[in-house]
Amino acid sequence: METFKLKKRLAKDKLMLWGVCLFATLTAVPLVAILGEVFLRGYDQLSWSFFTEPTPTAYKAMKAIEAGEPIPGGIANGIVGTMLMLGMATIVAVPIGILCGVYLAENSKSRFAQIVSYLTDLLQGTPSVIIGIVIYIWVVVPMKGYSAIAGSVALFVMMLPLIIRSTEETLKILPASLKEAGLALGGNEARVMLRVQLPAAFGGVFTGVLLAISRVIGETAPLMFTALGCSLIRWSIDKPISAVPLLIWEFFNDPNLQDLIWGASLFLLLFILMLNILAKYIKGTLY
Amino acid sequence: MESITPILEFKKTCVSYTKQTMAVKYVSAAIEKNSITAIMGPSGCGKSTLLRAVNLMHNLYSNIRVDGEILLNGENILSMEPIDVRRRVGMVFQRPTPFPTMSIYDNVLAGFALNGIRLSKVEKDATVERCLKSVALWDEVKDVLNKKGTFLSGGQQQRLCIARALAMKPDVLLMDEPTSALDPIATKHIEELLLELQKEVTILIVTHNMGQAMRISSKSMFMYLGELVEYGDTAKMFSEPADERTKAYLTGKMG
Ligand SMILES: Nc1ncnc2c1ncn2[C@@H]1O[C@H](COP(=O)(O)OP(=O)(O)OP(=O)(O)O)[C@@H](O)[C@H]1O
Ligand SMILES: [Mg+2]
């Protein structure tokens, strides 16, 4: 009787294990399929000039296709635009996001902090297309034109809640004894935060920043309303500018440029993959 | 009653975590300068709570109330700036708390950095050497000063934390079961160290270890349910406790 029950339980255990493994495999299928598809289609487009030259005109591309040659040019304009806008957004979002996260972690009981925390969640859940249209009204309209600035404001707004959250959460899981030990030496709260708590939270905060970057680097919709796109390599921040995800959309819409889609996609995917691996590695090495 | 020069004096000190109950009830006691005072009592009797009142740790939590007076050199701590108090009253916690991102060297100097005090390289080197020597850690770590403090053993970490507290030259050192996480050898090191240190600093130490109290303290407090039941010479308390509850605790019938 007893052994029968035990056998039944063991069998159940085994069934569970198989079930879990099966579903885990199933979730990995789409990921691997997407990676494979993009890689197989994209890798032979990657060449040096793909990264150093701007997108060709449709006419040039058509000529090349007619002559049976590979399409000249690349996505350098998009890479420059993406880096420029991401750079500006990150430089502003990191300090503001960390300050806000510190405030939320240190005052979690105050009513105001709870409201801010809730708003952060809402902002994180706001569809990017809506953020795009609002930034269009706020920045593009008054500045009388699309610009890299407008694009980076949109990216900034999307990165902010992610950085705030990761800072807050990381600070909250630090042991209270760390802060107490700092204060017990006579430090004021600001110094203890700056020299003890934030350094200890560095791994989590930095990971949060990397994930925020990888989250917005592929955003297309908000940039359509703000950065617009441009076929030249441009470094000015007050003019329309291109971005890699914008290019993917443009290539899709232009029959002559469709061959470039996969190279651009692969570049974006590899970049995000790299950021994620880096984030994982840093989180593993720090306190 | 012999007359003493108290450096620290509790006057009807009360601490409560909630409105209904008091964790420390009307404790009054005068602590002599350059002495070691042991605080004993069963778990939950309010030893840590009393200790943390002295360096105003309770100020960090808005729900905690501290009443009465605690005098440091005649001045009421409870109406002083926490930062000023904590500079003069150091604390060593039960678990070692080296700052994980700092080197051993920077850990010793952390108090200066946290107080915004700048030292020259020469002063820094001298302070690190003096403090690490005074906790008998210098010889063990002098070649690895740039390593993280968290690489040290538990006992070494605790000595590092004591060195860090001593670097600020406090008048009073609070220690909450500083050896409870350590092995007997590390414990012995720290006890010898404390006996040496009492020349410079007044020590208030919470301990569950009666042997330890006997070995190092001149005075002892026995607390029970938040009250200070008995306070007097350690030797006398152990040989002829005045209160039944103290007797029961010391003979192992309680706690
Ligand atoms: N943060 C807190 N919030 C509410 N009650 C607390 C808190 N800390 C301690 N207490 C209560 O206060 C009383 C005294 O606790 P305290 O930590 O001072 O005891 P202790 O004598 O140090 O015990 P131990 O020997 O176990 O460390 C206990 O009844 C405890 O439940
Ligand atoms: Mg305690």
Side-chain angles (χ1 to χ4, degrees):
Chain A
M1 182 69 194
E2 279 302 305
T3 51
F4 174 71
K5 259 191 186 160
L6 188 66
K7 263 189 187 151
K8 206 168 144 190
R9 274 170 53 187
L10 283 176
K12 252 192 193 163
D13 258 10
K14 240 192 187 128
L15 204 68
M16 265 308 264
L17 189 67
W18 279 102
V20 169
C21 286
L22 181 71
F23 283 110
T25 318
L26 279 182
T27 45
V29 167
L31 178 71
V32 173
I34 290 173
L35 279 175
E37 180 83 40
V38 174
F39 191 81
L40 289 178
R41 287 173 181 264
Y43 86 100
D44 59 350
Q45 279 174 11
L46 299 189
S47 64
W48 184 242
S49 64
F50 189 76
F51 297 106
T52 56
E53 285 176 30
T55 38
T57 58
Y59 179 75
K60 260 194 193 164
M62 198 173 74
K63 281 277 171 227
I65 292 171
E66 274 174 4
E69 293 162 7
I71 303 179
I75 57 166
N77 51 334
I79 294 176
V80 167
T82 289
M83 295 305 158
L84 194 65
M85 287 190 285
L86 260 182
M88 288 196 288
T90 308
I91 284 173
V92 184
V94 166
I96 295 180
I98 290 178
L99 276 178
C100 196
V102 165
Y103 171 77
L104 294 184
E106 290 291 297
N107 300 281
S108 54
K109 289 205 183 91
S110 97
R111 193 89 196 101
F112 180 67
Q114 282 167 359
I115 293 172
V116 172
S117 176
Y118 184 64
L119 292 179
T120 308
D121 279 346
L122 284 184
L123 187 58
Q124 194 170 338
T126 308
S128 59
V129 67
I130 294 178
I131 291 177
I133 192 82
V134 171
I135 300 302
Y136 172 83
I137 304 283
W138 284 355
V139 183
V140 177
V141 172
M143 281 182 64
K144 300 195 173 60
Y146 299 95
S147 65
I149 291 187
S152 57
V153 172
L155 297 184
F156 159 79
V157 170
M158 299 193 62
M159 288 174 77
L160 200 57
L162 296 163
I163 297 176
I164 293 175
R165 269 276 168 269
S166 61
T167 306
E168 182 192 353
E169 313 269 273
T170 318
L171 286 175
K172 276 186 176 168
I173 56 169
L174 292 180
S177 59
L178 203 60
K179 179 183 175 188
E180 289 187 354
L183 291 171
L185 285 168
N188 62 25
E189 305 230 350
R191 287 217 182 89
V192 173
M193 176 54 71
L194 211 60
R195 294 187 177 257
V196 177
Q197 289 165 276
L198 273 180
F202 177 81
V205 175
F206 195 73
T207 303
V209 172
L210 289 182
L211 293 180
I213 292 176
S214 78
R215 166 82 180 66
V216 301
I217 194 173
E219 279 297 339
T220 321
L223 295 183
M224 290 175 167
F225 294 99
T226 52
L228 191 66
C230 171
S231 54
L232 308 171
I233 297 179
R234 238 185 207 161
W235 292 95
S236 43
I237 58 174
D238 58 346
K239 303 225 171 62
I241 200 164
S242 187
V244 179
L246 281 179
L247 286 181
I248 295 176
W249 176 242
E250 282 166 25
F251 296 158
F252 178 76
N253 284 315
D254 189 331
N256 296 313
L257 295 176
Q258 276 179 8
D259 278 357
L260 293 172
I261 288 182
W262 298 103
S265 304
L266 183 59
F267 168 77
L268 207 53
L269 208 54
L270 289 180
F271 198 86
I272 292 172
L273 208 62
M274 195 193 72
L275 285 176
N276 278 279
I277 291 171
L278 192 64
K280 190 129 221 139
Y281 172 74
I282 284 171
K283 195 149 203 176
T285 54
L286 280 145
Y287 169 72
Chain B
M1 203 66 196
E2 62 195 307
S3 80
I4 60 169
T5 45
I7 184 169
L8 191 70
E9 200 172 354
F10 295 98
K11 283 190 166 172
K12 294 192 180 152
T13 306
C14 305
V15 185
S16 41
Y17 290 100
T18 56
K19 288 213 172 58
Q20 301 84 25
T21 57
M22 270 189 216
V24 167
K25 299 173 194 161
Y26 303 100
V27 168
S28 294
I31 312 291
E32 196 176 351
K33 199 167 157 58
N34 294 358
S35 67
I36 299 181
T37 305
I39 306 177
M40 288 179 292
S43 190
C45 69
K47 305 180 296 290
S48 301
T49 305
L50 180 67
L51 206 64
R52 290 163 62 87
V54 181
N55 69 342
L56 297 179
M57 270 297 138
H58 295 316
N59 284 23
L60 300 181
Y61 306 95
S62 55
N63 57 317
I64 309 178
R65 263 189 73 105
V66 183
D67 292 300
E69 283 181 281
I70 303 174
L71 305 179
L72 179 63
N73 290 320
E75 207 181 338
N76 188 6
I77 283 175
L78 301 180
S79 52
M80 284 165 68
E81 271 300 311
I83 290 177
D84 294 334
V85 175
R86 292 178 194 142
R87 261 177 223 173
R88 291 161 61 187
V89 180
M91 184 161 205
V92 176
F93 297 80
Q94 180 168 3
R95 303 212 148 268
T97 52
F99 297 131
T101 54
M102 293 187 196
S103 64
I104 294 171
Y105 187 89
D106 288 336
N107 257 289
V108 178
L109 298 169
F112 296 98
L114 289 171
N115 282 292
I117 302 169
R118 284 176 187 278
L119 299 179
S120 70
K121 177 87 175 93
V122 179
E123 286 172 308
K124 280 185 182 173
D125 289 347
T127 307
V128 170
E129 184 169 345
R130 175 176 59 79
C131 294
L132 288 178
K133 273 185 176 158
S134 76
V135 297
L137 195 58
W138 176 251
D139 290 332
E140 290 156 64
V141 303
K142 64 173 187 280
D143 298 321
V144 290
L145 289 175
N146 288 321
K147 268 198 165 184
K148 295 258 151 57
T150 38
F151 279 108
L152 299 172
S153 74
Q156 289 174 323
Q157 286 187 20
Q158 196 61 301
R159 277 182 281 160
L160 177 61
C161 291
I162 299 173
R164 186 176 69 186
L166 290 176
M168 301 310 291
K169 299 214 159 136
D171 299 331
V172 176
L173 187 60
L174 309 170
M175 310 185 95
D176 194 350
E177 302 182 45
T179 59
S180 66
L182 306 182
D183 68 67
I185 294 172
T187 301
K188 187 163 161 281
H189 272 303
I190 288 187
E191 286 179 5
E192 285 164 359
L193 169 68
L194 296 185
L195 285 171
E196 196 58 34
L197 285 176
Q198 80 181 301
K199 287 179 206 143
E200 302 160 31
V201 57
T202 308
I203 297 171
L204 221 58
I205 178 171
V206 171
T207 178
H208 274 292
N209 181 332
M210 293 177 214
Q212 182 168 68
M214 288 245 261
R215 287 191 293 273
I216 62 173
S217 70
S218 52
K219 293 268 178 104
S220 286
M221 295 184 180
F222 174 71
M223 292 183 69
Y224 187 61
L225 297 178
E227 285 174 55
L228 178 56
V229 171
E230 194 166 341
Y231 174 44
D233 286 340
T234 304
K236 185 154 178 294
M237 190 188 287
F238 276 90
S239 56
E240 37 188 309
D243 196 283
E244 277 308 308
R245 290 168 291 181
T246 317
K247 197 171 181 177
Y249 180 74
L250 293 176
T251 51
K253 290 185 185 119
M254 174 207 288

